[in-house]
Amino acid sequence: YQEIISEMLRRGFLYYDWNVSTQDTSKNINHVEILSNVKEAVNNQDSLIILCHDSKNKYHTVEALPGIIDFLEDEGYSFDKLDNNVEPITFSYQ
């Protein structure tokens, strides 16, 4: 990963990891569990970048999105695009 990240940065791209995972790659996960994973991971963080996967078999992720959005709005979060004004969240890769 570090080589890819370094090359992206060298080319002028910003690289973002996430600080909340839906864990939607877990086998046999459903939309209720996905929503629960998000609720547990938020922990009153100031800024969230949520990892969701998009593919034809991730229909449970799509089913969970309205609940995720409602929950986050009820918690006072708003949604916006990632741009140069958003501080990147990055992991340390070895």
Side-chain angles (χ1 to χ4, degrees):
Y1 290 110
Q2 194 56 53
E3 289 179 28
I4 294 170
I5 295 167
S6 295
E7 182 63 20
M8 289 176 63
L9 296 173
R10 186 187 73 73
R11 292 183 184 203
F13 293 97
L14 285 177
Y15 176 81
Y16 293 86
D17 280 314
W18 61 90
N19 58 355
V20 173
S21 176
T22 60
Q23 300 179 39
D24 61 353
T25 58
S26 299
K27 190 174 182 169
N28 299 321
I29 195 161
N30 61 47
H31 69 282
V32 173
E33 294 168 314
I34 291 170
L35 175 58
S36 178
N37 291 337
V38 171
K39 288 180 176 182
E40 290 176 17
V42 168
N43 294 325
N44 296 318
Q45 297 179 73
D46 291 335
S47 180
L48 305 175
I49 297 178
I50 301 174
L51 176 64
C52 297
H53 294 86
D54 61 339
S55 64
K56 68 179 182 178
N57 66 340
K58 295 299 176 199
Y59 50 89
H60 291 298
T61 305
V62 174
E63 286 179 309
L65 285 176
I68 291 170
I69 292 167
D70 289 345
F71 166 74
L72 293 173
E73 287 179 336
D74 289 347
E75 293 293 310
Y77 291 98
S78 60
F79 297 83
D80 206 347
K81 64 189 175 302
L82 291 177
D83 62 22
N84 293 343
N85 297 315
V86 177
E87 184 72 25
I89 294 169
T90 56
F91 302 147
S92 295
Y93 292 99
Q94 298 186 15

